Amino acid sequence: MTDAVHPLAVAVWQAASTPRDVDANLAALDAVAARAAADGAHLLITPEMYVSGYNIGESMAGIAARQPLERVRRIAERHRIAIIAGGPELLDPAEADPTEVDPTEADPTETTPANGDPGPPVANAAWFIDDTGEVLARHRKIQLFGELDRDLFVAGDAPLTIAEFRGHRIAMLICFDVEFPETVRAAALAGVDLVAVPTAQMEPYGFVNEHVIRVRAWENSVYVAYANQHGPDGELRYVGRSVIADPFGAHVAQADPSGEALIFGDVDRVARERARRQNPYLDEVRTALFRSGERT
């Protein structure tokens, strides 16, 4: 049984996508979902862009058009385990530009590939699929990192994506999103228990895995689960070191820098509330001082 007073068992999968090979990636995901479920996990988190591969250039839109994340739903239902899976999501053009901004005034680094042809808009997405195969929430990466992200993806505009699952509130962020303190603080103020982060963290940024994630957990009294790719991907090299951090800032579980790994941790509402009593940041921050134009 899992509800607000019973822990949620989380599995974080550190894996290396096979670039452009959705079938191979989904076959591996199917196998690890069976393993995680057999080991008692309620929720499995994959790395960023796991389903398609991340550094795949112009192939991204074509793969997104095949709706690969839809196929994850059958895996979740078959093994009776919830899955947060990272992959490309093809957007309706209206979603990419909901305000119909004049293209002469738009920021091309956010929406247009380097070749000047915007093509079909694609989001760097993570879907939360429950253990019946229902899609509970979709998060689109809001903080695009570097030319690779900006050449391939349209930034999301929802600062907070939260799903309710088995009595727990779970926020989704993707990679660079979690490195901004505002995102996790907003999630904490919304009462989440867990921040789930598919990522493709690369060299030379391993300090994020080692230090930033546990700080985000501690300063906001939440659990943070960070699922990374590992190994080489073209000119990139992912740092592994997937991690689950608890609200006290401790690493509950951590993977090695290289190699596939499946790590486990429990999200315990009672422990989170105890951490918040010990560390009163959320209660004592003088928010009004930081609101633009306000004085106290």
Side-chain angles (χ1 to χ4, degrees):
M1 179 179 181
T2 304
D3 56 33
V5 296
H6 292 82
L8 179 74
V10 175
V12 165
W13 187 30
Q14 177 168 295
S17 299
T18 301
R20 304 176 184 86
D21 194 336
V22 173
D23 290 342
N25 294 330
L26 290 177
L29 176 58
D30 187 80
V32 84
R35 177 182 161 197
D39 286 343
H42 305 113
L43 171 64
L44 171 65
I45 306 169
T46 82
E48 179 181 11
M49 298 304 297
Y50 171 75
V51 171
S52 59
Y54 181 39
N55 188 20
I56 62 173
E58 295 178 357
S59 303
M60 191 68 74
I63 291 175
R66 288 152 48 194
Q67 301 182 352
L69 287 169
E70 283 287 344
R71 296 172 62 186
V72 179
R73 299 175 65 178
R74 295 193 292 273
I75 296 174
E77 182 180 17
R78 178 162 52 251
H79 298 294
R80 306 299 297 179
I81 186 171
I83 300 175
I84 295 177
E89 181 182 6
L90 194 68
L91 303 180
D92 185 290
E95 292 185 84
D97 187 16
T99 58
E100 298 184 349
V101 175
D102 184 334
T104 64
E105 298 178 359
D107 179 355
T109 64
E110 292 294 332
T111 59
T112 306
N115 63 10
D117 177 10
V122 176
N124 181 333
W127 285 18
F128 194 133
I129 300 164
D130 75 6
D131 51 7
T132 70
E134 179 183 354
V135 179
L136 298 184
R138 297 172 173 88
H139 180 71
R140 296 160 183 167
K141 189 175 185 178
I142 61 174
Q143 297 289 165
L144 300 182
F145 179 76
E147 291 184 5
L148 191 154
D149 261 357
R150 294 189 180 100
D151 285 352
L152 295 177
F153 304 115
V154 172
D157 58 7
L160 207 55
T161 304
I162 296 176
E164 299 268 356
F165 179 64
R166 290 179 171 257
H168 293 263
R169 287 174 63 79
I170 300 166
M172 290 189 292
L173 298 172
I174 298 174
C175 198
F176 200 34
D177 291 346
V178 79
E179 296 178 35
F180 292 78
E182 294 86 352
T183 58
V184 185
R185 177 55 52 88
L189 291 174
V192 307
D193 303 297
L194 168 67
V195 179
V197 189
T199 187
Q201 187 61 271
M202 61 197 71
E203 293 179 349
Y205 305 110
F207 62 87
V208 173
N209 311 49
E210 296 285 355
H211 304 295
V212 174
I213 297 307
R214 68 196 305 168
V215 170
R216 290 287 172 271
W218 175 72
E219 68 191 359
N220 292 289
S221 299
V222 295
Y223 289 85
V224 181
Y226 193 73
N228 200 16
Q229 300 254 6
H230 71 89
D233 184 10
E235 72 279 12
L236 307 177
R237 177 170 287 276
Y238 303 118
V239 301
R241 298 185 181 92
S242 298
V243 65
I244 302 171
D246 74 10
F248 299 96
H251 285 169
V252 173
Q254 185 174 21
D256 290 335
S258 61
E260 181 177 343
L262 189 62
I263 61 175
F264 296 86
D266 287 343
V267 174
D268 186 340
R269 175 75 60 80
V270 174
R272 184 183 67 79
E273 292 174 350
R274 187 170 71 252
R276 183 163 177 172
R277 289 193 298 271
Q278 290 183 14
N279 180 8
Y281 282 166
L282 297 179
D283 297 321
E284 295 192 8
V285 60
R286 297 176 63 191
T287 305
L289 292 176
F290 304 101
R291 292 175 182 153
S292 179
E294 293 190 16
R295 297 290 186 269
T296 59

